Amino acid sequence: MRIIKQVTALSIEKEDAALDQEEVAHAVIARLEAEGHSAYLVGGCVRDKLMNRSVKDYDVTTSALPEQVIASFARTLPTGLQHGTVTVVIQGTPVEVTTFRTESKYEDHRRPASVTFVPELREDLQRRDFTINAIAMERSGRLIDPYGGRTDIERKVIRCVGDAHERFEEDALRMLRCLRFASNYMFSIEEGTWLALLDKAPLLRHIAMERVEAELTKMIAGTDPLRALRLLARSGLLRHTKIPLGAFAERIALAASEHPDPPSQQTASSVKEREELPERLHRWTELSGDVMRWAFLFAAVQLSPEEAAQGMMALVFPRRKSDRIVKLLEFKQVIDREINSIAGTSELSDEKLNMFFKKQALRYGKSNAQDWLAINALLVTFRGPYARLYVRLSDSGAQWLEEIALWDRTELAVTGAEIADALGREAGPWTAQMLDRLLAEAALQGTENDKSRLILLAQQYGKELEMP
């Protein structure tokens, strides 16, 4: 009891002390224990601590009912009272506290129709998805592990709690979570769990596409995305989504080298491509951020911007993210087309390649050009007969970007209104065209960014543009 009082005083009563989430979680447990309840760390935070991984969120499970939790702390948020969850906030740091519970039959293969609060921890742990997530920890560090989760962590195995068929039947999203844990932690999947996943794969059609996208993105941004692709291909899960993924799912299978073309459709280049693709994808982890990794995957499996956009729309990608990815693929497409059209007939000089690349960089923006260069560096030996040109872009592209003097119309020394006034015409769509042309002159041709000089150029160009 002395330790409980010390933690409670330090963590709750001293408002001037800064606390991290682990301290808050232990303070919450201490307060609940002091009031006669049992309480433990549970789930992912325990798993990650046992695996020596950084812990993102600390969750507490308790015998205290939600109203008792609310009564025990000065500031709480009713996060999910119907499921027994209350968020306790101490000195600005939140920790979710959930009452021990069992769950009724799942009616939509995603969430239980109702929950029942129970007094025993073991009953709560029994409802969880995988053994590695069904471990609780006392403040002392002692584990409560009735389903062998710690042993499975040591063996590097993903295994369902109890009957795997029932766990996936209850919540079909667990099948994607299974693949994510296996790929991100580089664990194997226990045979019974894998067979149940294959059997229940069609249930994925009940899961909202937003949730599918979230799990896929965590795999793509994870430790071993190529392993994730292979597990997705072998499981066939992406064939059972609520909205068909079409070319997207087919190219995932290609990336995993799971479904080679029949011999009659194979060529020397297609065989070489299939052999090299996994090797290229092994460098995936050199890219940071899910946007870059998605763009690299789509580029590597040669999805067009339109095909990628269609797949991302089906998966309900956040609009801002999908727009960035499409821009990168469009940048790649225009570079590929230019190199293939010119390089086949004549040698593309450094000067021509330099100017073409700068024009496209100005069109798509500096950040997109820089991101494309990072992706190109990983694909550069995977480009066929014109690989040398992509190597030149990788070698010189960053320097060429630094040579661009201006990147945006707003950096020009003249405005659209001033151009319209100087030409004695009403502003309109032509004004944007004129500013773009002036930007190209100032950014790429060395024209001085001077108001008078730009107006003179605008008057010269005005004769060439259709204007009211």
Side-chain angles (χ1 to χ4, degrees):
M1 184 63 70
R2 180 177 60 83
I3 295 176
I4 291 174
K5 287 182 177 178
Q6 286 178 346
V7 173
T8 302
L10 171 64
S11 304
I12 298 178
E13 296 173 6
K14 293 182 69 174
E15 293 297 325
D16 59 342
L19 302 176
D20 63 27
Q21 197 182 46
E22 184 175 14
E23 289 178 307
V24 171
H26 282 288
V28 167
I29 292 172
R31 170 64 62 84
L32 291 171
E33 289 178 340
E35 296 187 2
H37 308 292
S38 56
Y40 309 87
L41 296 177
V42 73
C45 63
V46 178
R47 175 198 68 220
D48 290 344
K49 285 175 75 70
L50 292 175
M51 295 174 64
N52 295 316
R53 296 171 62 92
S54 62
V55 178
K56 293 182 179 179
D57 294 296
Y58 284 84
D59 294 317
V60 172
T61 187
T62 180
S63 61
L65 297 173
E67 57 267 27
Q68 292 173 318
V69 175
I70 291 172
S72 298
F73 299 94
R75 185 182 176 198
T76 60
L77 301 172
T79 312
L81 291 180
Q82 70 275 25
H83 296 112
T85 301
V86 174
T87 298
V88 175
V89 182
I90 297 175
Q91 296 176 220
T93 302
V95 168
E96 285 195 356
V97 181
T98 302
T99 302
F100 300 158
R101 72 187 194 215
T102 58
E103 298 170 340
S104 66
K105 182 179 180 181
Y106 284 59
E107 294 182 341
D108 57 0
H109 302 285
R110 181 70 185 98
R111 294 180 179 84
S114 62
V115 303
T116 301
F117 301 140
V118 295
E120 297 297 329
L121 172 64
R122 187 185 180 101
E123 292 181 86
D124 181 90
L125 296 178
Q126 189 175 13
R127 70 178 173 81
R128 296 176 183 266
D129 51 7
F130 307 108
T131 60
I132 63 172
N133 295 330
I135 310 171
M137 180 184 286
E138 295 179 346
R139 280 195 298 133
S140 65
R142 188 178 79 88
L143 299 179
I144 296 87
D145 181 20
Y147 303 104
R150 183 172 191 172
T151 299
D152 284 343
I153 288 173
E154 292 170 351
R155 294 171 54 225
K156 297 187 176 181
V157 170
I158 303 297
R159 179 168 59 92
C160 281
V161 173
D163 188 297
H165 285 81
E166 291 181 5
R167 297 294 82 75
F168 294 141
E169 179 83 27
E170 290 167 348
D171 182 356
L173 187 65
R174 288 170 173 168
M175 294 184 286
L176 284 174
R177 284 168 55 83
C178 178
L179 303 191
R180 170 164 64 88
F181 288 136
S183 60
N184 285 357
Y185 299 158
M186 292 178 279
F187 281 17
S188 63
I189 300 173
E190 181 262 338
E191 183 179 9
T193 298
W194 177 252
L195 293 176
L197 186 151
L198 297 180
D199 184 48
K200 297 297 181 179
L203 294 178
L204 194 65
R205 68 183 182 275
H206 295 283
I207 302 301
M209 297 300 285
E210 296 96 322
R211 300 308 300 267
V212 174
E213 184 274 331
E215 288 298 324
L216 293 178
T217 292
K218 289 175 183 177
M219 295 183 207
I220 296 302
T223 307
D224 192 346
L226 180 55
R227 176 172 169 75
L229 293 189
R230 287 174 170 158
L231 288 170
L232 285 166
R234 291 167 188 164
S235 68
L237 278 178
L238 294 185
R239 295 199 297 268
H240 300 288
T241 51
K242 181 176 287 190
I243 299 175
L245 293 177
F248 178 90
E250 293 169 9
R251 298 300 177 86
I252 291 291
L254 169 65
S257 298
E258 289 289 323
H259 301 291
D261 296 332
S264 62
Q265 297 180 20
Q266 291 184 5
T267 65
S269 61
S270 70
V271 171
K272 186 173 188 291
E273 175 182 338
R274 186 167 292 105
E275 290 173 349
E276 290 183 352
L277 183 53
E279 181 181 346
R280 299 272 66 75
L281 291 174
H282 275 303
R283 300 185 64 190
W284 214 346
T285 52
E286 295 178 29
L287 297 171
S288 61
D290 59 305
V291 168
M292 290 287 283
R293 290 194 183 185
W294 274 118
F296 174 74
L297 172 61
F298 295 153
V301 301
Q302 299 180 17
L303 273 180
S304 70
E306 295 76 21
E307 289 171 327
Q310 186 176 5
M312 289 188 289
M313 182 178 296
L315 285 165
V316 199
F317 268 57
R319 181 63 180 272
R320 186 174 180 181
K321 180 162 75 173
S322 63
D323 286 349
R324 278 197 63 200
I325 293 170
V326 167
K327 282 292 185 186
L328 281 171
L329 295 177
E330 288 175 347
F331 192 99
K332 170 188 176 295
Q333 186 178 67
V334 75
I335 295 288
D336 290 347
R337 285 176 177 171
E338 182 71 9
I339 285 178
N340 279 279
S341 65
I342 295 178
T345 57
S346 63
E347 178 65 23
L348 191 59
S349 67
D350 275 346
E351 184 178 353
K352 288 181 179 178
L353 186 62
N354 176 325
M355 186 54 61
F356 170 73
F357 179 70
K358 286 179 178 177
K359 285 180 179 179
Q360 300 312 316
L362 196 61
R363 174 184 174 190
Y364 286 97
K366 186 174 184 178
S367 63
N368 284 324
Q370 290 171 327
D371 288 346
W372 179 85
L373 284 172
I375 291 171
N376 178 64
L378 302 188
L379 292 173
V380 74
T381 60
F382 186 51
R383 294 287 192 175
Y386 309 130
R388 69 187 188 283
L389 299 175
Y390 293 98
V391 171
R392 281 157 62 182
L393 282 170
S394 281
D395 290 345
S396 304
Q399 177 186 335
W400 291 345
L401 292 181
E402 293 305 313
E403 293 170 358
I404 297 177
L406 305 174
W407 284 96
D408 192 85
R409 296 173 191 165
T410 59
E411 297 178 67
L412 289 170
V414 67
T415 66
E418 289 169 334
I419 292 293
D421 184 60
L423 272 63
R425 299 177 184 272
E426 185 178 347
W430 69 270
T431 314
Q433 297 176 40
M434 180 68 74
L435 289 173
D436 285 340
R437 190 160 183 180
L438 295 176
L439 177 63
E441 285 287 340
L444 306 178
Q445 301 298 337
T447 299
E448 184 181 359
N449 186 22
D450 172 78
K451 182 176 179 178
S452 299
R453 173 61 178 152
L454 294 176
I455 286 176
L456 285 175
L457 278 177
Q459 291 170 334
Q460 177 185 335
Y461 295 151
K463 300 173 184 178
E464 304 170 15
L465 292 174
E466 268 191 48
M467 298 185 299

